[in-house]
Amino acid sequence: MSKLKFNMFDKMSLENIVDEDSEFIPLMSSEDEEEIHKEEIPKELAILPLRNSVLFPGVVIPITAGRDSSIQLIKDANKANKIIGVVAQKNEAIEDPSIDDLHQVGTVAKILKVLKMPDGNTTVILQGTKRFKVGELLQKEPYIKTTTIGFVEDRSAINDSEFNAIIDSIREKALEIIHLNPALPTEASFAIKNIESKTFLLNFISSNLDMDVKDKQGLLDEPNLKERALLTLKTMDHELQHLELKQDIQSKTRTDMDKQQRDYYLHQQLKTIQEELGGVSYSEDVAEMRIKSKKKKWSKEVAEKFEKELGRLERMNPQVAEYSVQRSYLELILELPWNEYSKDKFDLKRAQRILDRDHSGMEKVKERIIEHLAVLKLKGDMKSPILCLYGPPGVGKTSLGRSIAEALGRKYVRMSLGGLRDEAEIRGHRKTYIGAMPGRIVQGLKKAETSNPVFILDEIDKLGSSHQGDPSSAMLEVLDPEQNATFYDNYLEMGYDLSKVLFIATANNIWNVPWALRDRMELIQLTGYTLQEKVEIGRKHLLPKQLKEHGLDSSHLKIGKKQFELVVDSYTRESGVRGLDKRIAKLVRFAAKSIAMEETYEPILTNEKIEKILGVSHMGRDKYEQSNVAGVVTGLAWTQTGGDILYIESIVSKGKGMSITGNLGTVMKESATIALEYIKANTAIFGVNPKVLEKYKVHIHVPEGATPKDGPSAGIAMLTSLVSVFTQRKIKARLAMTGEITLRGKVLPVGGIKEKILAAKRANIKELILCKENQKDIEEIKSKYLKGLKFHYVTEMKEVLEIALLKQKVKNAVKFDLEK
């Protein structure tokens, strides 16, 4: 029960209800109870059904009668002996109950007063006297009338010490409940203390317990006085526990409220003092920040941190320098997109169309992005991969990121890492420093306004280091899918989840990236474009772009496929298309100038016109040169701008030893030494006279001495060059080769195969010698790019010489003087 009802009328109250001559005393004494107990129960009683209450002997309660039958019953009884039977209904919803709808045990009641209420209802004041049982039905109309059966009550325990102890406990608990419940009047305690009769005390408290009618009826039905007392005590004990718990909760709540009110008043006073000192009102800014914070989707930890820092701001004087630092810090927290993500677009065919539209080739990276989208579509959530696109400049690594963002439906952020030397650019500065800022990762997320953009880390191989730290080490946490869910920014001073960000790093030379950083990324190589691909890119992308940028359209300038091939082949030497873009821009500027100066020109460009606009081509460096001189071999090299051909030249002169020139690196010099020593060890196999090696000095040179060169891939070319010069045998025409050699006579695979093949095609090479293990690289290249090339796959050095060297000697062969 939620409260103990107090329905007893004190003496003063009853004077307004009961006649002045009435001898009724509300607090029944033992004598009064004994007198009532001796009264006989009438053999017949008119029954007044009660909907939601139970009348106990000795208790006075007001009853409001609304049913016509009840009103009639009260009128008739009031005119007669004023005695009626009061019985509770089994179901209070029944409007016109029959005898079967009433409980079997009720209470004989005496009408004390009948009042006519202003709303038309009749209120009757009743006092219970004795229990009775309902007998046979005598009449149904206008109200129920039955015979009565005496209720035998076991009062044997009335003077028992245990019963007296139970009554004392009931009295004590009643006083405790009255004390704990502020809704009960103080007069209730007075009444409880002054009730002398034990049975009346039990009936009085039972009547006022806030419990169901069914449970109260159970107390009324119980014939054993001691059992009834125990049931009442049990119910009161439950109520007391409930009230104590409720009071504890209210006390805690009141304490929290008091603290909040205290904090509020203190903040108001502090604000007033600060406004007096600083003369600036900033409460609106703080209130606005607090309102914005309620709309953020951040975690509990971030919310607590923000509230703590906002409290610091409230306590600061706006005139101090730290105020602006603190305010900037809070504004950053509010502006970051905590747990806000853009919705991915899972139309894979649309994504494929976008990637194919913007970039030709690049099948591996396109396939990887489509795979990522497919997994996202099926699983719904996954850690984003860390991709690293590496390859020569101008092949579209950076611009590919924008296409990926469009395909995914995500925001695009680009961060250039070239020349970055300060670790704080990645992790941010401590906010206590002057001019402190968050790291560029956090700034990029703030700009993107989502926590899952496509984030391009451009030129990651150009990261530097200085006394201010190593940025590449700071990138380790950013680019680790297992760590970046809690990326820590020094300025933010909290972890930020980067696991949903799709990081795409770009690099030209992947070997310049620290191995620990490489290990965290999924490496995808972008190779150079073929002639045909460059022509298609120029026609579909570069020319329309340049026309638009110069305010022209396709009617002002037309370049045919053959003319594009001329521009690509004669005016560019690159793996990418940046140089081609510049040449096209120059052609477009020619048309723009002609239109602006109102000169007559032909929109369709011819080869002659292109040569006139672009000038004479100087791109003849990697054209194949036929040579009848022994020792000149065509090699293939990989450079940062793509593939290229290079010539290995050897010559002999009288003397001993070997000299090497051409700005060669250590590895390349070692390859020459290995080749010479292997030849010395196998002179018989290669047909080299040992005396030539003893009496003649060999000189190896690689042209373009100003260009640094290094790497093992020229090994077989050097071997072939040396054997050719020692034997004066002719080298096969239009043949190029690449591969590393060992002292055991093995040929090892090398990298950059696609770029080298493109260089060979540009130089009109017809045959290539490669290591057998490089055959898998050739199989990954589309067959249309290999048209016109013949490949020789070798594993031993002697196989290289069998293919490359002809039996015949060169013209004007050197005649070795081997006499002593």
Side-chain angles (χ1 to χ4, degrees), residues 640-706:
Q640 289 191 354
T641 59
D644 205 348
I645 67 170
L646 54 83
Y647 293 99
I648 310 295
E649 301 176 347
S650 299
I651 194 171
V652 290
S653 59
K654 286 200 174 184
K656 290 185 178 181
M658 178 178 65
S659 58
I660 305 172
T661 56
N663 201 353
L664 306 185
T666 304
V667 177
M668 211 163 180
K669 290 178 181 178
E670 289 174 352
S671 295
T673 304
I674 292 170
L676 181 60
E677 295 300 322
Y678 185 73
I679 291 171
K680 288 180 179 179
N682 297 275
T683 53
I685 296 175
F686 300 138
V688 177
N689 191 329
K691 292 183 179 180
V692 174
L693 299 176
E694 293 175 5
K695 290 192 172 185
Y696 283 84
K697 173 185 177 182
V698 65
H699 183 106
I700 300 176
H701 176 69
V702 182
E704 292 193 41

Side-chain angles (χ1 to χ4, degrees), residues 56-71:
F56 285 82
V59 179
V60 177
I61 61 171
I63 299 295
T64 299
R67 290 185 281 221
D68 293 340
S69 58
S70 299
I71 294 172

Side-chain angles (χ1 to χ4, degrees), residues 112-252:
L112 301 181
K113 187 69 175 179
V114 177
L115 303 172
K116 191 72 174 177
M117 306 306 291
D119 59 1
N121 290 329
T122 299
T123 298
V124 58
I125 309 299
L126 300 176
Q127 182 180 33
T129 57
K130 298 184 69 173
R131 289 173 171 80
F132 77 96
K133 287 186 178 181
V134 177
E136 296 180 359
L137 178 65
L138 297 178
Q139 70 175 44
K140 293 182 180 180
E141 300 295 338
Y143 43 79
I144 296 173
K145 193 172 185 180
T146 68
T147 60
T148 61
I149 302 172
F151 184 89
V152 180
E153 189 174 9
D154 183 2
R155 297 167 63 88
S156 59
I158 190 72
N159 294 317
D160 184 61
S161 59
E162 185 178 354
F163 176 75
N164 291 333
I166 293 172
I167 293 298
D168 291 341
S169 296
I170 289 174
R171 194 187 302 271
E172 290 174 5
K173 287 192 181 295
L175 294 173
E176 288 181 34
I177 290 172
I178 294 169
H179 175 71
L180 289 174
N181 195 340
L184 298 178
T186 55
E187 291 84 355
S189 299
F190 175 80
I192 295 298
K193 291 176 181 177
N194 286 278
I195 293 176
E196 300 173 0
S197 170
K198 301 172 185 176
T199 54
F200 176 61
L201 176 66
L202 195 58
N203 289 334
F204 179 78
I205 291 176
S206 298
S207 177
N208 288 285
L209 288 173
D210 189 13
M211 55 196 299
D212 295 337
V213 172
K214 182 180 178 181
D215 295 331
K216 281 191 177 183
Q217 185 67 37
L219 292 175
L220 188 69
D221 292 346
E222 177 57 53
N224 189 293
L225 190 62
K226 185 177 179 181
E227 290 297 325
R228 193 190 312 155
L230 286 171
L231 284 173
T232 304
L233 182 61
K234 181 179 180 181
T235 304
M236 294 179 71
D237 187 61
H238 180 268
E239 170 60 15
L240 184 61
Q241 293 179 18
H242 179 82
L243 279 173
E244 288 174 346
L245 179 61
K246 183 178 178 182
Q247 189 180 46
D248 289 343
I249 294 171
Q250 289 177 343
S251 176
K252 291 178 181 177

Side-chain angles (χ1 to χ4, degrees), residues 91-106:
N91 186 354
E92 64 179 50
I94 298 175
E95 183 63 31
D96 189 13
S98 65
I99 191 170
D100 295 331
D101 298 322
L102 303 177
H103 287 284
Q104 289 299 304
V105 178

